[in-house]
Amino acid sequence: MPELPEVETIRAQLAPRLVGRRVTGIEIRDPLLVEPADPARVVSALQGRRIEAVERRGKYLLCALDSGATLALHLRMTGRLHWRAGEPAPGEERFLRALVRLDDGATVSFGDQRRFGRMRVVPAGTDPAEYWAGRLGIEPLGDAFTARRLAELMAGRAAAIKTVLLDQSLIAGLGNMYADEALFAARVHPARPAGSLSDAEYRALHRAIRKRLRVAIAAGGASIDSYRDGLGQPGRMQELLLVHRRAGEPCPRCGTIILKRTLGQRATYWCPRCQPDPAGGPAHAGTPEGTRRDHEGVSR
DNA sequence: ATTTTCCCCTGCCGGC
DNA sequence: TGCCGGCAGGGGAAAA
């Protein structure tokens, strides 16, 4: 699923191809895609406009227009953006929701199998991310995100650290996959109360978050399910994942079998030896209950 | 104020 | 072969 590294990969590919181009046409094929539900408004806001910048905030992609307005997109679960030098071949895009045409003959398609993705036009003079999301947290790769800041954000929270890492109003851009990866790299059990880590653990987690995100960006994102980059190509990060979607496989660090459980409505993967649960009972292999159905370790 | 639960969507996959 | 339940998870709203 597109998280920060996947959106950043797409942004980096689209920016040089879109900036300076003018929109010559836009087709909204799925009214559900636009918010508020008024496709005509999106069309009129885009038609004839020149794209001045393509940026990212959290998991949002932001296209600044010469009108001062911004086209904001969120891919959610299965959204894809695909730039092509020309028109997509008939039938090439199976779940096409929208198509944008540019003045150099290129097109950008928005495909989305599950129709959770959204786009909206943010009026001039408004912070696009704030306008849409209400409040977005700190950029985990920005300079302002320090270990101390992370500790402050987590302070006093009793909810599981994994769940809190997914809260976009605190840190913007982490999703289920990279939360698992960062916690493993930092050797922190995902169910630990968010405010209960030691200073050393917050430092390790801070480092791990940035490291895993950077590795993922360098690898062009993770094509676990339907993710493709801005040119339709799969990423390589799925091969570099440490624990996520690897239940039943050996831990890359110690060889212990990786476990899976549901935490906060989300599948969660961890190594019971590298990430011991201080509060929770037997973190050893052979835990009597709750692990019986955790044997689907088929990925790749 | 924080935390938890439910819901939105649809393709895919394993089981029967 | 085909139907069916379960699963995937970002995010927002509602409930606790």
Side-chain angles (χ1 to χ4, degrees), chain A residues 14 47 125 137 143 210 276:
Chain A
L14 293 189
Q47 185 67 42
D143 291 341
R210 290 166 75 98

Side-chain angles (χ1 to χ4, degrees), chain A residues 95-172:
Chain A
F95 306 107
L96 184 65
R97 306 294 177 204
L99 186 67
V100 175
R101 293 187 171 84
L102 304 173
D103 60 1
D104 59 353
T107 59
V108 179
S109 60
F110 192 136
D112 191 0
Q113 174 188 99
R114 289 174 61 185
R115 305 173 71 201
F116 281 138
R118 295 291 183 268
M119 70 165 64
R120 75 187 306 165
V121 175
V122 178
T126 318
D127 179 336
E130 301 293 314
Y131 178 84
W132 192 344
R135 177 166 163 242
L136 267 191
I138 194 167
E139 283 290 325
L141 292 179
D143 291 341
F145 183 62
T146 61
R148 182 173 301 278
R149 191 81 193 90
L150 172 64
E152 288 168 1
L153 287 169
M154 300 295 119
R157 296 181 183 276
I161 182 95
K162 157 97 183 265
T163 306
V164 178
L165 288 179
L166 295 178
D167 185 339
Q168 303 297 300
S169 72
L170 299 175
I171 301 172

